[in-house]
Amino acid sequence: MNWNDVIKAQFETPYFKSLSVFLKQAYETSTVYPPKEQIFNAFSYADYNELKVILIGQDPYHQAHQAHGLCFSVNPGIDHPPSLQNIFKELSDDVGCAIPQSGCLIPWAKQGVLLLNAILTVESNKPLSHQNQGWETFTDHILKCCNEHTEPCVFILWGKNAQAKASLITDPKHLILMAPHPSPLSVYRGYFGSQPFSKANAFLKKNGRKEIEWCL
């Protein structure tokens, strides 16, 4: 299995054809993030066979120059949004990484971390504006493919929207790590101290898989 085949097969389904019509109009009539050519960026850096960790976000950042197709990641040189600041604080507390200067998470993606939003596009300054248009069906399918992976993988689900997808992860060989969302609204309800990075690496090591170098 490879990501290209998985994605292209979805293009032919009725729901995705409807989604495509919606997206064509949205990009023509409003400002939408990320840029069209970066919608599927999460699949660009490591193939399916290299998959180790699946991190689920909600929808892309909705302000200019931030989103580039990887959940929680921003383009180099862009200020870190509050959620990403909190992720980096937990990263530092959990595994001792220095707070990165860049908020670009491509180095994680290249190691087999799928940084997948549940919804892959958004209108400028309108969070969740592209929900219920078909993206959820697409990302559910991607998660089912991840669940079928022959190697043990880690699914990191932050917040209620991501945790709602836990039912798609049915193979007991995988690890599911759940915590509140790292947004300022919920970060103190148990996100800090949840140790997702060290727990993911401990699981990968126990199963004979190469650990993720989380420090950026």
Side-chain angles (χ1 to χ4, degrees):
M1 191 184 297
N2 68 65
W3 289 132
N4 218 24
D5 292 343
V6 169
I7 293 167
K8 283 185 175 176
Q10 292 303 291
F11 288 171
E12 301 306 314
T13 60
Y15 88 85
F16 205 98
K17 288 178 179 177
S18 174
L19 172 60
S20 297
V21 171
F22 167 79
L23 290 174
K24 184 174 186 295
Q25 183 176 21
Y27 274 95
E28 287 174 354
T29 60
S30 59
T31 301
V32 176
Y33 302 123
K36 267 189 288 192
E37 64 275 10
Q38 294 182 338
I39 291 174
F40 298 105
N41 218 9
F43 304 98
S44 300
Y45 298 101
D47 200 21
Y48 176 85
N49 296 322
E50 301 164 40
L51 184 67
K52 293 177 184 170
V53 177
I54 301 91
L55 176 56
I56 307 298
Q58 184 169 276
D59 65 340
Y61 294 123
H62 53 82
Q63 294 177 356
H65 312 303
Q66 293 179 320
H68 63 129
L70 307 176
C71 74
F72 297 111
S73 180
V74 292
N75 282 300
I78 300 301
D79 288 345
H80 302 170
S83 292
L84 186 57
Q85 291 178 30
N86 290 330
I87 290 169
F88 285 163
K89 183 179 186 306
E90 179 62 19
L91 178 69
S92 175
D93 292 346
D94 183 12
V95 289
C97 297
I99 302 294
Q101 287 190 323
S102 173
C104 179
L105 304 181
I106 287 174
W108 292 357
K110 286 180 175 178
Q111 298 177 73
V113 180
L114 182 64
L115 297 162
L116 183 68
N117 277 311
I119 302 160
L120 299 192
T121 55
V122 68
E123 187 176 341
S124 176
N125 295 312
K126 293 184 179 178
L128 294 175
S129 49
H130 286 187
Q131 68 180 344
N132 302 324
Q133 298 293 339
W135 277 131
E136 295 89 344
T137 303
F138 174 80
T139 51
D140 281 0
H141 180 74
I142 296 297
L143 280 176
K144 288 173 186 174
C145 292
C146 296
N147 180 60
E148 293 167 9
H149 205 281
T150 55
E151 297 288 339
C153 296
V154 183
F155 292 78
I156 299 177
L157 310 178
W158 291 334
K160 289 180 181 176
N161 284 359
Q163 289 166 17
K165 302 217 181 244
S167 61
L168 302 171
I169 306 152
T170 57
D171 192 324
K173 73 171 176 284
H174 300 310
L175 174 67
I176 301 173
L177 296 175
M178 295 199 280
H181 196 276
S183 75
L185 296 173
S186 56
V187 73
Y188 289 102
R189 297 178 193 157
Y191 176 79
F192 286 146
S194 60
Q195 301 180 314
F197 308 103
S198 60
K199 287 177 180 176
N201 272 357
F203 177 82
L204 291 170
K205 185 177 182 180
K206 185 180 79 173
N207 285 280
R209 306 199 70 194
K210 189 176 179 182
E211 297 166 75
I212 305 297
E213 174 49 75
W214 293 110
C215 296
L216 294 164

